[in-house]
Amino acid sequence: MRTMPNYANPADFLRLVRAAAPVTATITAILFGIGLYLALLDSPPDYQQGETVRIMYLHVPSAWMAMFVYVVMSSAALGTLVWRHPLADATQKAAAPLGAAFTFLCLVTGSLWGKPEWGTWWVWDARLTSVFVLFLIYLGIIALWQVIEDPGKAARLVAVFTLVGAVNIPIIKFSVDWWNTLHQSASVFRMGGPTIAMSMLWPLIFMTFAFTFLFLTLHMLAIRNEILRRRIRRLSMLAASASEAGIPAIFAEPAQ
Amino acid sequence: MTADPHSGFVVAAYLVALAVIAGMIVATLADYASLKKRLERLAARTGRGFDAGPK
Amino acid sequence: MKQSGVPLPSALGALLLRDLRIGRRVGGAASMGVLFFLCLVAITPFAIGPDLALLARIGPAILWIAALLATLLGLDRLFQADAEDGSLDLFLMSDTPLELIVLVKCLAHWLLTGLPLVIASPFFGLLLGLDARALEGVAASLFVGTPALTLIGAIGAALTVSLRRGGLLLAILILPLSIPILIFGVAAASGAMAFLMPFLVLCGLTLAALALTPFAAALALRNGLE
């Protein structure tokens, strides 16, 4: 009955990565090529913001990735807690630094966009502030990964925290929005959603897909790294227990 | 693009993005290389150990 | 299910009494939290200047941040002490649901650290030149909000229970999650808008924390101790 390879099996997954990674990497490169051409050369400057609008083609896709990666991580967290599957653990762990990097990029580009638009490097604008809190949560997750030795236990504990964060993030978003209206920031920057010009929409779409495929490629490669890391851990523990059990010296590494 | 007084910010933003993305790619690949080397060394060691065939 | 002779309420009651007794004896958690709170309130004027008008304006915010930090203070020991002397293993094996045990431990912690802060806050508010209306607001919002801080902190305490130095990590994990409580707590306390709306949202947040925390913390404890 099982004619399809089972990609939940780490060995099959490694084979999948070997086949798929070059393909997605090529797609990523093509999308970036088109996206950057449209964003930098083929789209007009905004009539109000001038050239700075080009930062949007980095800022919006990375904001999207910041949320998308968290969704991926939360789904993997469910997989860890419900099925206790090692691949779900690896998926979770590999996503966290990538998500943090995209969130960081979103904050930095937002700041670089804010300086010419608002006159300061940082504004406690509702959207920026929520992303900032998301960044802190990502850093907390990475810190939790680093301090717990046993990978299975770390995965389950991080999964609990990730899901608690997933419940909390909409609440944080809502309260930060409310807080912002309360304090009425001087210049609320609006990005007109549907009124955006077509000439700006296309580069935005291509850049968003480019970022998504970049993440998919790097995520696959990072999951492969985690699988290898676990394998090394298992092998070295086996080797250590074998040498402790009094295996004759020829089994140990030969002294040169 | 040079006519705009703020084009420096655009260039800076794209440079930062380049640095972050390149950093992610390099970190992932370097991690893979070092893991693979460690795995091969470990496999060679235990493999020789369990074959028990002294060359 | 009910094989043991001890009925559920009395088992939980015994746990509550035990935690309160330990808390009172070991280091006097209640007085320590209030003392820390007082120190934080006392150093603020040195950082900002003795301008009473300014202090009165930001007073509710100072009291709330001080309460947040004082609540975090003893939280890392919430489950750790039980893990060290083995009582946590007994909790895990007992008939009493772990979720209820978590709730009772949170209640004990709040009675020892949260409630004294609430009682002390009007007096400390006087030091910062708050008027009567603001004093009431601070006390009421702290009374409703500090349980939520304890509950969310309990999740962090459960996650870091097996770590030798979990205190700092606990704060890193918990502080971002407590931002909504801080926002609505300070809003209710300072009365920048009507008091009632943020106060009701704060009540809602506390109830939500009450509903969700026991499950998250119990899940973390079960997974953290294998």
Side-chain angles (χ1 to χ4, degrees):
Chain A
M1 193 59 207
R2 273 196 28 211
T3 49
M4 247 183 74
N6 175 17
Y7 291 126
N9 177 334
D12 282 347
F13 185 83
L14 288 184
R15 226 164 289 136
L16 172 74
V17 170
R18 192 179 295 279
V23 178
T24 55
T26 315
I27 296 176
T28 308
I30 293 171
L31 284 171
F32 262 115
I34 301 173
L36 284 174
Y37 169 72
L38 291 176
L40 291 176
L41 302 173
D42 197 46
S43 69
D46 188 71
Y47 73 101
Q48 269 182 327
Q49 302 182 30
E51 300 288 348
T52 40
V53 76
R54 300 192 198 281
I55 298 179
M56 177 179 76
Y57 307 128
L58 292 175
H59 179 70
V60 174
S62 40
W64 150 250
M65 292 315 298
M67 286 180 285
F68 177 73
V69 175
Y70 203 92
V71 172
V72 169
M73 231 161 53
S74 306
S75 333
L78 276 179
T80 291
L81 287 178
V82 177
W83 293 290
R84 297 208 166 190
H85 200 287
L87 198 59
D89 300 1
T91 307
Q92 250 196 104
K93 188 174 183 189
L98 297 174
F102 281 118
T103 315
F104 174 75
L105 187 56
C106 178
L107 287 174
V108 172
T109 52
S111 177
L112 282 169
W113 199 4
K115 180 64 180 162
E117 291 306 311
W118 293 319
T120 59
W121 291 105
W122 183 260
V123 185
W124 290 94
D125 158 73
R127 201 176 295 123
L128 271 177
T129 310
S130 311
V131 175
F132 188 41
V133 177
L134 183 60
F135 184 57
L136 293 179
I137 293 178
Y138 270 119
L139 293 186
I141 287 174
I142 294 173
L144 195 55
W145 271 116
Q146 282 175 348
V147 293
I148 304 173
E149 186 85 13
D150 178 65
K153 185 169 128 182
R156 291 193 298 278
L157 289 178
V158 172
V160 173
F161 182 68
T162 306
L163 291 177
V164 168
V167 173
N168 241 285
I169 285 169
I171 301 176
I172 293 173
K173 180 88 181 75
F174 161 72
S175 46
V176 167
D177 282 348
W178 184 83
W179 162 83
N180 205 45
T181 57
L182 182 69
H183 293 275
Q184 210 52 263
S185 64
S187 62
V188 179
F189 176 73
R190 288 232 149 271
M191 200 171 54
T195 61
I196 191 168
M198 282 309 268
S199 58
M200 293 185 187
L201 194 56
W202 279 116
L204 199 54
I205 288 175
F206 270 100
M207 287 300 273
T208 306
F209 273 107
F211 270 62
T212 311
F213 268 88
L214 174 71
F215 167 70
L216 291 179
T217 310
L218 285 177
H219 194 209
M220 271 195 298
L221 295 176
I223 292 173
R224 175 169 73 178
N225 288 351
E226 291 312 320
I227 293 174
L228 292 189
R229 206 187 308 280
R230 276 205 171 188
R231 198 171 279 177
I232 288 173
R233 191 183 140 82
R234 212 171 40 236
L235 279 178
S236 50
M237 273 162 68
L238 271 180
S241 64
S243 65
E244 259 177 36
I247 305 285
I250 52 158
F251 291 101
E253 191 165 28
Q256 305 289 24
Chain B
M1 234 178 123
T2 43
D4 194 282
H6 297 314
S7 52
F9 291 102
V10 181
V11 175
Y14 278 83
L15 285 180
V16 170
L18 182 70
V20 170
I21 290 174
M24 282 194 281
I25 295 173
V26 168
T28 311
L29 294 182
D31 194 21
Y32 179 63
S34 83
L35 285 170
K36 207 170 173 192
K37 205 185 292 169
R38 264 166 66 194
L39 191 60
E40 272 162 9
R41 217 169 42 217
L42 207 57
R45 202 168 95 190
T46 49
R48 192 185 303 165
F50 288 115
D51 285 345
K55 282 195 178 169
Chain C
M1 270 307 274
K2 280 273 171 61
Q3 296 150 344
S4 63
V6 189
L8 192 60
S10 81
L12 293 176
L15 178 63
L16 180 65
L17 282 179
R18 163 188 173 271
D19 268 24
L20 288 179
R21 225 172 273 142
I22 291 177
R24 235 192 28 240
R25 204 172 51 223
V26 182
S31 52
M32 211 85 101
V34 174
L35 201 57
F36 181 67
F37 193 42
L38 178 61
C39 288
L40 285 177
V41 171
I43 61 167
T44 317
F46 295 111
I48 298 174
D51 179 6
L52 261 190
L54 177 64
L55 284 174
R57 202 166 65 79
I58 59 172
I62 296 171
L63 288 173
W64 254 92
I65 290 180
L68 181 59
L69 296 179
T71 308
L72 277 179
L73 194 61
L75 263 177
D76 57 324
R77 297 296 294 167
L78 186 60
F79 299 114
Q80 223 165 38
D82 287 339
E84 281 164 8
D85 66 13
S87 23
L88 199 54
D89 296 320
L90 292 179
F91 295 155
L92 284 170
M93 286 186 294
S94 74
D95 292 340
T96 318
L98 191 59
E99 286 80 1
L100 288 178
I101 291 176
V102 167
L103 265 186
V104 167
K105 288 197 70 75
C106 288
L107 176 64
H109 184 265
W110 182 74
L111 287 176
L112 285 172
T113 57
L115 193 58
L117 295 186
V118 175
I119 295 168
S121 64
F123 302 104
F124 296 172
L126 288 176
L127 294 176
L128 298 171
L130 299 185
D131 58 20
R133 153 85 197 64
L135 290 178
E136 282 169 25
V138 167
S141 64
L142 279 180
F143 180 71
V144 174
T146 43
L149 295 180
T150 300
L151 287 163
I152 293 182
I155 300 177
L159 287 171
T160 53
V161 66
S162 59
L163 303 176
R164 200 164 298 278
R165 278 179 307 176
L168 207 54
L169 183 63
L170 173 92
I172 291 170
L173 294 177
I174 288 313
L175 284 176
L177 300 183
S178 50
I179 287 172
I181 299 162
L182 188 66
I183 288 176
F184 286 102
V186 173
S190 60
M193 267 177 58
F195 167 76
L196 198 60
M197 183 268 179
F199 185 74
L200 289 180
V201 175
L202 191 62
C203 295
L205 288 175
T206 304
L207 289 178
L210 193 62
L212 293 178
T213 295
F215 299 102
L219 192 61
L221 283 177
R222 285 198 190 100
N223 283 309
L225 287 172
E226 290 174 0

